[in-house]
Amino acid sequence: MGSKVTAILVWVSTLILYPSMAAAERTDGILSTVNLPAAGSQIATEMYDLHMYVLYICVVIFIGVFGTMLYSVIVHRKSKGFKAANFHHSTTVEIIWTIIPFFILFGMAFPATQTIIDMKDTSTPDITIKATGYQWQWGYDYLQGEGEGIKFLSKISTPREQIRNEAPKGENYLREVDNNVVVPVGKKVRMLLTSNDVIHAWSVQQLGVKQDAIPGFIRDAWFKADKPGIYKGVCSELCGKEHAFMPIVVEVLAQEEYSKWVAGQKQESAEPAVDVNKEFTMDELKATGEKVYAGNCAACHQANGKGISGTFPGLDGSKIAVGPKADHIKMVLNGKAGSAMAAFKHLSDVDIAAVVTYERNAWGNTTGDLVQPSEIKAFRN
Amino acid sequence: MNALQPNLVMLKKLLILAVVMFAFGYAMIPFYKKICEVAGLNNLLQPDTLVEETRLVDTSRMLTVQLDANTRGLPWEFKPLQSTVKIHPGELVEVMYEITNNSAREVTGQAIPSYAPLLVSQYIKKLECFCFTKQVLKPYEVKQMPVQFLIEPEFPGDIDSLSISYTFFEIGLSNGTTSNEDKSTKSKI
Amino acid sequence: MAAVHHPDNELGHEHEHHGPPAGIMRWLTTTNHKDIGTLYLWFSFAMFLTGGVMALTIRSELFQPGLQIVEPEFFNQLTTLHGLVMVFGAIMPAFVGFANWQIPMMIGAPDMAFARMNNWSFWLLPPAALLLISSFFVPGGAAAGGWTLYPPLSIQMGMGMDMTIFAIHILGASSIMGSINIVTTILNMRAPGMTMMKMPLFVWTWLITAYLLLAVMPVLAGAVTMLLTDRQFGTNFFNAAGGGDPVMFQHIFWFFGHPEVYIMILPAFGIVSQIIPTFARKKLFGYSSMVYATSSIAILSFVVWAHHMFTVGMPVTAQLFFMYATMLIAIPTGVKVFNWTATMWRGSMTFEAPMLFSIGFIFLFTIGGFSGIVLAIVPVDIVLQETYYVIAHFHYVLVSGSLFGLFAGTYYWLPKWTGNMYDEGLAKTHFWCSMIFFNITFFVQHFLGLAGMPRRVPDYALQFADFNMISSIGAFGFGFSQLIFLYCIIKCIRGGPKATDEVWEGADTLEFTDLPSPAPYHSFETPPKVK
């Protein structure tokens, strides 16, 4: 019996201590490991408080009910010679314990209702950003407000060697991307969500946003960050093999810095785009190709082109990579249905030309083939 | 009387229940569409007709309508010619979209509209839209297409920004789904 | 309505009072409810171990950050099949096994209403299970879109998905046949005097469960059929390009999925409602309110499905409706917990294994219920959806709920089935190991979820490393504790102290009061008198 009581006591005390433990963490401002992370927006704060409020109520009820049961377990036992009573029914009691929970639930639902209404109010945004889910990265288009016209792709920047345990893991392991979504502080940002292939979900806990991105439809959500900083999120709907590897990083900047960032982006896009009809040299293509390969292909086919036996075919000496150019380009553009090979047509002609050239001339492959961006265009559908 | 009789009657009833529920699964689709239609949650590909010729224009309110465009799996460039329009509820407006076929073949596409926030679609009346029919583009053709719509004056007062989005899907590839593309590749494997 | 019973007409089947034929043919051709119950139980245990091995592989991969043991694609196949195998292969058949063994004995019927159909409904299961498991070995591997099979992801899968869909069809047909049998047996074959409101609660909960199954399994069959035609025959139910809507699948799936949750828990409620009064030596408190609470849970389960989809983008009114409806479920569930507590109150309790598991059930299931309320609050759900918090929540409900209920029931009725008492020491060890390791595994997952670890990922950020390690250790402990269970059962079947006919001092249902231990192969060929 002793062990039983101890076990129960341990659990009850965990339950009591937990909320206070969690609340303490919050004031420290550290990223919590036992509770919701510190809120970075008004809505997220309301969510945080609602959770604590509901949790406290549950803990109180829990202690009430199981305190009673525990007392009964300890006292009303046969081994202590306790004789069973004979009651088995009491309409009054049953009505009371049906009605009281009703009011408790009402007390929980009432504050939640206002938050839901606020959550849905996407009116009058300062900035509108469209996020498009791809397998497996995010595309962002600044549709309206300061920065209108900026668009970029954002994909995980954690090196594959770290994931494969071939290099020590960095501080931001799996929570870093090449291009952060940059927004100004204190401005209402409306997010439009859609997807290119399967359902993804755009989620940043600290900003109180989680919204599915559904192919063919748009959905909206909003946030207003309270203070500058980096806010991290993850794709929150299973979207295939690399689901764990498509993080979201929102960088909140002060207004002036945001304006500077926008100016920088505009300048970059104003620079003449690479001419797709330009003839590239082998070295240029291989250099670009190696980068594209590391970012898009090495996850499966490995940096050494050997693949992973039984799961992902190697490219070193493969039929596709040393066979006809056209098949190779089509494979990269369209992927292979029913397999893990995804379509990469969202990459630019230059990138695809470069990566195909690289694959045909790297490792043991020595086709000597040069694929120019102009050739890719012809294969696009 | 056979003692099995009541059991067989019960069997029949329960089997009917199972069949009805199976049908119900399918019935949820038109049902859901109907509910969405009534609640204005989904978007229909038919033009709306205006009941009254003259409608009240509520000039006291200004709505910001954001125009958005997406393509899925077809070699088109698709964009609105203006990213936003500001209109009063009840005011009839026309906006232009442009599609460019970047490929050397003829491509047929169908646009699917979508609105955000979800509730607004019941207040949007479209008189003309390129999404009512499929669009066929010759190689490298560029086409400008109008959408004529108004937002009803009954539009809820607490919303002042909304998005209208179109996504073009390629159709005519055997039976009109994008998954066909996968299937054709699958058969090659 | 009178429960008519003419043994001569029972599907014209053997009523010579001898034992079953020997060998494998006994099991292949049996129409005896006890044999079929045994088959169901062993099948589900085998599937439980299969799903368990998958779970342990998942937990091994998650032991440390980084990819170590399995590739992400295979990891997704494991999570998908773990879910499907545990839900359709382990938990549901196990409860049907209990229904087969117990319902005829508890209502004083000689067998199930349709004995031959009963045989079919069992023998559909092994081929379905084979299909599911063998899909790992086809090109492209098993379905990897999660057990919820959401399109368009499930459209992308290889033929493993088609095999899964086919398996679900077979499993669904089996469940429907099983449910028809159970409903008919309960409604038509009760012994004279066994009125509806005298039925043991286990029978009541199964009656309601069987109706739920009949109502929703066909809906699931419809949903996966549409998925199949979308994949293979070019329909566009869930494809936006053809005027469909991927979200539609989620609506249909969860219209099945939420009642399914209660299908897996209501019979456990029934088992616990039999055990607690027995070991408290006191009648169940509030019998009729238990019946009403069970019915209201069943009815409410049809109007709460969209709480699984709060992040999909719904209008405010829909979110509010589903939030309120979901919270309402807490009321009848609360009534049940209060009733059990009141049954224990001032009883004369002893704590054998079935009672321990029942108390463990109430204690942990209530934690799962509370996390359910937390998740019902839409704004909180928005931050917790698709995180480990949800994983923790439904494992509290399904493992320490359904599974503990099954363990409790097994220990409770095993002496009646085998005629031997099980080893109480082993059973208690099994309980304490399960209880402790279960909590080590799943309690910490609440923290992981709150801190933002998404579900269905083979790799995670470094801040989640500690709790994942703890959870994995707990999972292995929990997994190996189940071997104690297996050993205990086999030991009990092979011998042990003889059980008395009553088995438990406080037991008052027909199988304990009117039948010897072990229960004879044919029982209640002449209906008992029900007081």
Side-chain angles (χ1 to χ4, degrees):
Chain A
M1 183 214 123
S3 61
K4 211 170 308 171
V5 178
T6 328
I8 295 172
L9 282 179
V10 167
W11 281 111
V12 171
S13 50
T14 316
L15 282 165
I16 301 169
L17 285 177
Y18 167 66
S20 43
M21 196 159 86
E25 286 242 8
R26 185 188 172 194
T27 43
D28 294 348
I30 321 164
L31 210 55
S32 173
T33 51
V34 291
N35 198 0
L36 296 171
S41 74
Q42 179 58 37
I43 293 284
T45 309
E46 286 175 31
M47 289 170 171
Y48 188 101
D49 294 342
L50 261 173
H51 171 251
M52 293 317 289
Y53 166 71
V54 174
L55 182 65
Y56 276 118
I57 294 178
C58 288
V59 169
V60 170
I61 302 172
F62 191 87
I63 292 169
V65 174
F66 286 93
T68 315
M69 192 181 280
L70 186 68
Y71 176 83
S72 180
V73 164
I74 294 169
V75 175
H76 304 145
R77 44 173 67 212
K78 199 187 175 197
S79 55
K80 290 198 175 163
F82 199 91
K83 290 269 173 299
N86 199 25
F87 64 91
H88 55 80
H89 183 72
S90 162
T91 313
T92 331
V93 173
E94 287 169 49
I95 289 177
I96 289 174
W97 69 37
T98 311
I99 303 279
I100 290 181
F102 188 84
F103 286 106
I104 298 176
L105 290 173
F106 185 77
M108 291 178 180
F110 186 71
T113 305
Q114 189 52 48
T115 307
I116 296 175
I117 293 168
D118 294 345
M119 239 164 52
K120 289 280 174 186
D121 176 21
T122 51
S123 272
T124 338
D126 298 306
I127 291 179
T128 305
I129 302 173
K130 179 169 76 171
T132 308
Y134 296 89
Q135 283 173 317
W136 292 273
Q137 60 187 332
W138 291 97
Y140 296 100
D141 289 83
Y142 288 61
L143 294 181
Q144 170 253 320
E146 190 178 357
E148 185 174 329
I150 294 175
K151 56 166 75 177
F152 54 84
L153 291 172
S154 167
K155 116 166 110 309
I156 189 167
S157 60
T158 302
R160 278 285 141 179
E161 297 78 52
Q162 291 188 14
I163 295 170
R164 295 267 161 211
N165 306 308
E166 288 151 5
K169 297 185 181 7
E171 188 192 349
N172 292 319
Y173 181 67
L174 298 191
R175 311 211 101 181
E176 52 200 341
V177 294
D178 50 3
N179 297 310
N180 295 346
V181 193
V182 181
V183 297
V185 72
K187 290 282 163 65
K188 184 166 184 175
V189 180
R190 174 168 182 245
M191 297 297 300
L192 279 183
L193 280 307
T194 185
S195 162
N196 185 58
D197 29 54
V198 300
I199 301 176
H200 301 268
W202 199 84
S203 148
V204 181
Q205 245 187 336
Q206 283 177 280
L207 299 174
V209 181
K210 183 174 288 157
Q211 173 61 55
D212 289 2
I214 296 156
F217 296 91
I218 56 164
R219 295 286 196 267
D220 63 347
W222 71 276
F223 65 87
K224 189 195 266 179
D226 289 339
K227 49 177 187 284
I230 299 275
Y231 298 89
K232 291 169 184 171
V234 283
C235 172
S236 292
E237 183 64 61
L238 180 63
C239 57
K241 180 171 75 71
E242 303 285 299
H243 167 56
F245 309 107
M246 55 182 290
I248 294 151
V249 180
V250 178
E251 186 175 350
V252 179
L253 295 179
Q255 181 57 50
E256 315 83 75
E257 288 174 58
Y258 177 73
S259 304
K260 256 186 250 163
W261 177 82
V262 170
Q265 291 285 317
K266 293 267 157 148
Q267 200 175 356
E268 228 172 83
S269 62
E271 279 165 20
V274 188
D275 181 5
V276 288
N277 294 318
K278 179 184 162 192
E279 292 286 312
F280 288 80
T281 67
M282 176 66 99
D283 287 342
E284 282 173 330
L285 285 172
K286 276 184 76 172
T288 318
E290 188 164 2
K291 275 185 222 138
V292 178
Y293 184 84
N296 295 285
C297 321
C300 301
H301 298 298
Q302 305 302 305
N304 60 9
K306 301 277 184 220
I308 294 171
S309 159
T311 321
F312 302 116
L315 300 182
D316 190 359
S318 85
K319 261 184 266 168
I320 299 280
V322 298
K325 264 202 295 197
D327 289 351
H328 192 170
I329 296 171
K330 274 191 211 151
M331 177 65 89
V332 174
L333 273 173
N334 302 322
K336 180 170 164 181
S339 79
M341 179 66 195
F344 286 93
K345 51 184 150 203
H346 52 271
L347 297 180
S348 71
D349 289 351
V350 179
D351 282 354
I352 290 178
V355 81
V356 172
T357 309
Y358 173 74
E359 286 171 4
R360 300 179 76 77
N361 297 289
W363 321 297
N365 298 350
T366 48
T367 57
D369 288 343
L370 196 60
V371 180
Q372 293 295 348
S374 50
E375 292 176 59
I376 304 296
K377 217 171 162 146
F379 285 99
R380 287 201 185 262
N381 281 281
Chain B
M1 192 199 97
N2 192 332
L4 271 177
Q5 207 58 43
N7 286 357
L8 291 176
V9 171
M10 181 63 73
L11 172 70
K12 217 177 287 172
K13 282 187 200 160
L14 295 173
L15 272 179
I16 291 171
L17 173 66
V19 172
V20 167
M21 287 312 292
F22 183 76
F24 175 78
Y26 276 86
M28 271 178 93
I29 300 231
F31 210 61
Y32 174 84
K33 287 207 173 120
K34 194 75 206 166
I35 288 174
C36 290
E37 197 181 314
V38 171
L41 295 187
N42 224 337
N43 19 75
L44 300 167
L45 299 180
Q46 277 92 47
D48 297 298
T49 43
L50 285 187
V51 189
E52 314 125 74
E53 272 307 306
T54 52
R55 290 187 72 98
L56 285 175
V57 175
D58 179 0
T59 50
S60 66
R61 285 198 286 156
M62 182 66 97
L63 302 174
T64 309
V65 181
Q66 188 148 59
L67 304 171
D68 177 48
N70 307 281
T71 58
R72 295 289 173 261
L74 72 183
W76 286 4
E77 200 182 310
F78 174 43
K79 57 172 196 253
L81 291 182
Q82 63 274 61
S83 68
T84 49
V85 278
K86 287 192 180 294
I87 56 169
H88 298 296
E91 184 185 351
L92 188 65
V93 283
E94 186 174 287
V95 294
M96 297 300 285
Y97 274 81
E98 185 181 274
I99 33 177
T100 312
N101 183 355
N102 281 331
S103 77
R105 63 185 173 91
E106 191 176 281
V107 178
T108 310
Q110 168 70 55
I112 304 291
S114 175
Y115 310 100
L118 278 166
L119 264 179
V120 307
S121 54
Q122 62 182 304
Y123 302 102
I124 297 181
K125 297 286 171 231
K126 279 182 296 192
L127 303 188
E128 197 188 328
C129 177
F130 54 85
C131 59
F132 298 149
T133 55
K134 359 178 228 211
Q135 300 292 328
V136 186
L137 259 73
K138 296 196 180 59
Y140 304 109
E141 186 184 346
V142 182
K143 194 168 177 182
Q144 292 196 350
M145 307 162 303
V147 179
Q148 220 180 56
F149 69 97
L150 63 76
I151 291 167
E152 295 198 312
E154 296 80 35
F155 194 73
D158 54 350
I159 302 179
D160 63 11
S161 331
L162 57 144
S163 299
I164 297 182
S165 169
Y166 291 96
T167 305
F168 259 111
F169 291 89
E170 178 159 16
I171 59 167
L173 284 165
S174 77
N175 61 3
T177 64
T178 39
S179 58
N180 280 305
E181 236 176 281
D182 308 339
K183 237 154 259 158
S184 52
T185 3
K186 219 185 271 178
S187 56
K188 265 183 247 154
I189 297 164
Chain C
M1 53 204 206
V4 190
H5 172 73
H6 294 283
D8 295 337
N9 289 321
E10 276 318 314
L11 279 187
H13 192 56
E14 46 185 356
H15 26 89
E16 313 89 289
H17 292 260
H18 60 69
I24 182 108
M25 286 314 283
R26 163 182 176 184
W27 301 105
L28 280 176
T29 59
T30 184
T31 54
N32 179 287
H33 73 101
K34 298 186 182 75
D35 280 354
I36 294 175
T38 307
L39 284 172
Y40 265 110
L41 289 171
W42 278 113
F43 171 81
S44 63
F45 192 74
M47 294 307 278
F48 173 62
L49 293 185
T50 314
V53 169
M54 294 177 195
L56 293 185
T57 318
I58 292 169
R59 283 306 334 163
S60 316
E61 175 57 51
L62 292 172
F63 186 67
Q64 282 186 321
L67 296 177
Q68 290 91 11
I69 299 174
V70 294
E71 287 304 312
E73 183 68 13
F74 186 61
F75 183 91
N76 290 346
Q77 296 174 18
L78 284 175
T79 49
T80 305
L81 267 282
H82 166 71
L84 289 169
V85 163
M86 286 301 199
V87 168
F88 294 105
I91 303 283
M92 287 169 63
F95 280 123
V96 182
F98 273 92
N100 264 291
W101 256 102
Q102 288 307 126
I103 288 176
M105 293 203 287
M106 290 175 114
I107 60 172
D111 205 314
M112 297 296 277
F114 306 106
R116 208 163 298 279
M117 186 161 89
N118 207 9
N119 174 293
W120 298 339
S121 43
F122 173 76
W123 282 109
L124 281 178
L125 294 179
L130 211 64
L131 261 177
L132 269 183
I133 307 294
S134 57
S135 69
F136 273 115
F137 306 103
V138 300
W147 84 281
T148 49
L149 311 174
Y150 283 1
L153 186 60
S154 53
I155 308 281
Q156 287 184 345
M157 302 283 139
M159 70 180 286
M161 179 59 73
D162 301 313
M163 293 170 78
T164 303
I165 290 174
F166 192 40
I168 290 176
H169 275 136
I170 301 178
L171 292 165
S174 159
S175 286
I176 290 169
M177 288 179 0
S179 310
I180 289 180
N181 224 331
I182 289 167
V183 172
T184 314
T185 308
I186 297 174
L187 292 185
N188 287 2
M189 299 184 62
R190 297 191 310 277
M194 175 67 78
T195 58
M196 292 296 273
M197 289 311 269
K198 270 191 190 163
M199 293 194 316
L201 256 171
F202 177 70
V203 179
W204 254 115
T205 51
W206 242 117
L207 178 65
I208 293 165
T209 305
Y211 271 117
L212 280 181
L213 272 167
L214 275 171
V216 299
M217 286 312 285
V219 176
L220 175 69
V224 294
T225 308
M226 287 183 247
L227 208 53
L228 186 73
T229 55
D230 266 18
R231 283 171 54 80
Q232 304 295 354
F233 307 113
T235 55
N236 290 309
F237 290 109
F238 309 126
N239 181 359
D245 185 348
V247 177
M248 187 64 220
F249 177 84
Q250 301 183 19
H251 281 291
I252 306 177
F253 182 86
W254 287 113
F255 184 84
F256 145 81
H258 202 79
E260 169 69 15
V261 172
Y262 295 107
I263 287 165
M264 291 188 281
I265 198 67
L266 292 182
F269 285 169
I271 291 174
V272 168
S273 305
Q274 298 304 131
I275 292 173
I276 297 219
T278 301
F279 292 91
R281 292 165 183 77
K282 189 163 157 280
K283 275 186 85 171
L284 181 69
F285 186 87
Y287 172 90
S288 48
S289 68
M290 283 297 222
V291 172
Y292 299 138
T294 313
S295 317
S296 13
I297 292 176
I299 292 164
L300 280 174
S301 74
F302 284 102
V303 292
V304 297
W305 78 86
H307 70 215
H308 297 268
M309 320 159 39
F310 278 147
T311 60
V312 91
M314 273 185 263
V316 181
T317 39
Q319 287 198 330
L320 289 176
F321 171 79
F322 286 109
M323 174 172 87
Y324 296 147
T326 304
M327 295 181 82
L328 276 183
I329 289 193
I331 294 174
T333 315
V335 166
K336 283 180 163 287
V337 173
F338 297 144
N339 280 346
W340 289 322
T341 313
T343 308
M344 288 161 74
W345 187 253
R346 293 179 59 207
S348 174
M349 283 189 275
T350 51
F351 299 91
E352 289 88 345
M355 184 63 162
L356 286 180
F357 270 109
S358 299
I359 295 176
F361 166 94
I362 302 177
F363 186 71
L364 298 179
F365 177 79
T366 306
I367 296 182
F370 281 133
S371 56
I373 294 182
V374 171
L375 288 170
I377 311 278
V378 177
V380 182
D381 182 77
I382 296 290
V383 275
L384 295 178
Q385 172 100 33
E386 285 287 318
T387 67
Y388 260 78
Y389 194 90
V390 177
I391 304 265
H393 161 69
F394 69 72
H395 281 92
Y396 264 83
V397 176
L398 288 179
V399 179
S400 60
S402 308
L403 189 62
F404 276 27
L406 286 164
F407 288 149
T410 309
Y411 288 122
Y412 183 57
W413 281 304
L414 201 55
K416 178 53 70 179
W417 298 342
T418 62
N420 306 320
M421 289 307 286
Y422 58 86
D423 184 332
E424 190 65 50
L426 273 179
K428 282 189 172 151
T429 315
H430 173 222
F431 169 73
W432 285 109
C433 287
S434 298
M435 182 81 178
I436 291 165
F437 285 121
F438 170 81
N439 282 293
I440 295 177
T441 313
F442 293 108
F443 200 78
V444 294
Q445 294 186 355
H446 289 113
F447 302 143
L448 286 173
L450 287 165
M453 174 164 164
R455 63 188 283 205
R456 294 164 167 171
V457 291
D459 195 4
Y460 46 83
L462 300 179
Q463 76 203 77
F464 307 123
D466 299 345
F467 283 134
N468 267 299
M469 193 174 276
I470 296 173
S471 181
S472 292
I473 293 169
F476 274 88
F478 186 78
F480 287 117
S481 306
Q482 305 321 313
L483 298 179
I484 308 176
F485 178 62
L486 179 64
Y487 176 68
C488 187
I489 304 265
I490 292 175
K491 194 172 165 202
C492 174
I493 293 173
R494 307 188 72 171
K498 291 287 157 244
T500 59
D501 290 352
E502 197 192 14
V503 185
W504 309 109
E505 194 186 348
D508 64 350
T509 41
L510 287 177
E511 78 275 27
F512 291 116
T513 55
D514 286 41
L515 288 177
S517 294
Y521 195 60
H522 297 287
S523 47
F524 293 134
E525 301 229 289
T526 40
K529 288 265 175 303
V530 179
K531 292 172 278 291

